[in-house]
Amino acid sequence: MTMEQVKAAEAKLLLATYERNPILFTGGEGVHLKDEDGNLYLDLLSGIGVNALGYAHPAIERAIAEQSRKLIHVSNLFYHPGQAELALRLTEISGMDRAFFSNSGTEAWEAAMKVARAYSGLLREEGKTIGTKFLAISNSFHGRTFGSVSTTYKAKYREPFGPTVPGVDFVRFNDVEDLRAKFSSDVCAILLEPIQGEGGIRPVSQEFFAAARELTQSTGALLVADEIQSGLGRTGKWFAYRHYGIQPDITTVAKPLAGGLPLGAMLCTEEVARAIHPGMHGTTFGGGPLACAVAIAVIDEIKSTRLLDHVTAVGTYFKDGLLALQAEHPSIVEVRGEGLMLAAQLDSAELAKSVLAALLSRRILINRTDETVLRFLPPFILEREHVDATLRAIDEILAGLEAESAGQLQEAVLQGGR
Ligand SMILES: Cc1ncc(COP(=O)(O)O)c(C=O)c1O
């Protein structure tokens, strides 16, 4: 099928959930995607933070080939070696004790919410005073299923599907006073992304994170960190909460976990895990042998090639480059992020749209989030030369757009004077 045929067929056959860019990708290698005509695109989005090892990585290909010959699915009614081996790695890098495997980020988040509610129930049984309320954060994004969407801030994601899950209140981002005012023994958990992803690559402040930890500890409520976008090395540490020296009670991971295959995990402490017994929660596909084998290969590859050090080094180089661009272009309002989870916020949504389109025409892929934010989530294997090419392109595009709008302004002034 050609691009036009695929587009026409999708328009007729699929639920209209996506506004796709008109490119038909058929392959990829390293940090590049390839379209139907063989054109290469420098990919700084990596399937929204998924393809951490880029495309056609030999470690992933090998794991898929070997495991698919052995066993792809067996259900959670039986044992296979993958979940224990993967849980061993995930608990070691996260400082957690136990894992539950899902198929996606949103399911990992549902598990986190359900476990937090169940744990509060256990505490009540044990005679503690604790409620069932969740405190989420403004501008948060936790996924599209009902629990996740109920804790996701923006009305456009929630309102068409109301009523959503009750018992959720939102605290203003990084507003410690608001957090303290809304926290009480009614709260069973504070839910936050250490670095908000869809919300525009916004790190929570040390003060806010620490206050959330202190408040939850004071009542037995849980601190739940969503690391679905920031986790597994994207920020240069295995988990973004490691930058803060704060250990949550529950965390969730997904996107890069299985090298592009669907897999998520909810990780928690031994204390919290007391709340769950066989039959309370589960999944048919989650934690299948194939996805687990690939996730083990991904983690081992990141470790053996010291890729986190590379993420930190290239990420710092990239961020410094963006900051240098900000000094040249006042339309860049702010540069944010850690490692290879970076953003440049522009002064208007229109400008951000134009920059995105111009980058696409130069075959560089990024995306726009929170209207004005250019978001960079490249594969961890990105090199400085790719950063240089991207920065050069943004510099030229912004200069061109600035000249254009200066010209339009001059024209308007001249016309006004006529
Ligand atoms: C922080 C965060 N949580 C949850 C999700 C939902 O993950 P998924 O799309 O795999 O369900 C996302 C996806 O973008 C995310 O960024």
Side-chain angles (χ1 to χ4, degrees), residues 64-201:
I64 291 176
E66 283 173 11
Q67 187 59 42
S68 66
R69 280 197 291 268
K70 286 188 208 153
L71 186 64
I72 292 176
H73 176 78
V74 65
S75 91
N76 282 303
L77 297 178
F78 301 96
Y79 290 99
H80 65 83
Q83 289 196 16
E85 285 179 21
L86 179 55
L88 199 63
R89 286 162 174 79
L90 287 173
T91 51
E92 185 201 301
I93 61 178
S94 65
M96 296 291 175
D97 301 312
R98 287 180 183 260
F100 168 80
F101 293 108
S102 65
N103 306 288
S104 63
T106 198
E107 287 168 89
W109 192 246
E110 293 288 334
M113 290 180 66
K114 286 177 75 177
V115 169
R117 280 263 172 91
Y119 179 71
S120 77
L122 179 67
L123 292 187
R124 281 189 297 280
E125 269 171 39
E126 291 174 352
K128 292 224 171 76
T129 307
I130 187 156
T132 55
K133 201 161 121 183
F134 290 115
L135 287 187
I137 313 296
S138 64
N139 236 21
S140 59
F141 184 90
H142 298 294
R144 308 285 194 157
T145 49
F146 260 108
S148 303
V149 96
S150 308
T151 53
T152 288
Y153 183 69
K154 284 188 184 146
K156 68 174 182 180
Y157 296 125
R158 260 182 307 125
E159 280 182 356
F161 307 106
T164 51
V165 175
V168 181
D169 201 357
F170 289 95
V171 172
R172 277 194 299 277
F173 182 70
N174 277 347
D175 186 334
V176 176
E177 244 175 68
D178 196 37
L179 178 64
R180 288 192 187 281
K182 286 181 176 146
F183 188 82
S184 72
S185 59
D186 288 344
V187 172
C188 73
I190 297 179
L191 315 173
L192 55 79
E193 296 155 84
I195 302 180
Q196 289 189 333
E198 300 296 310
I201 314 292

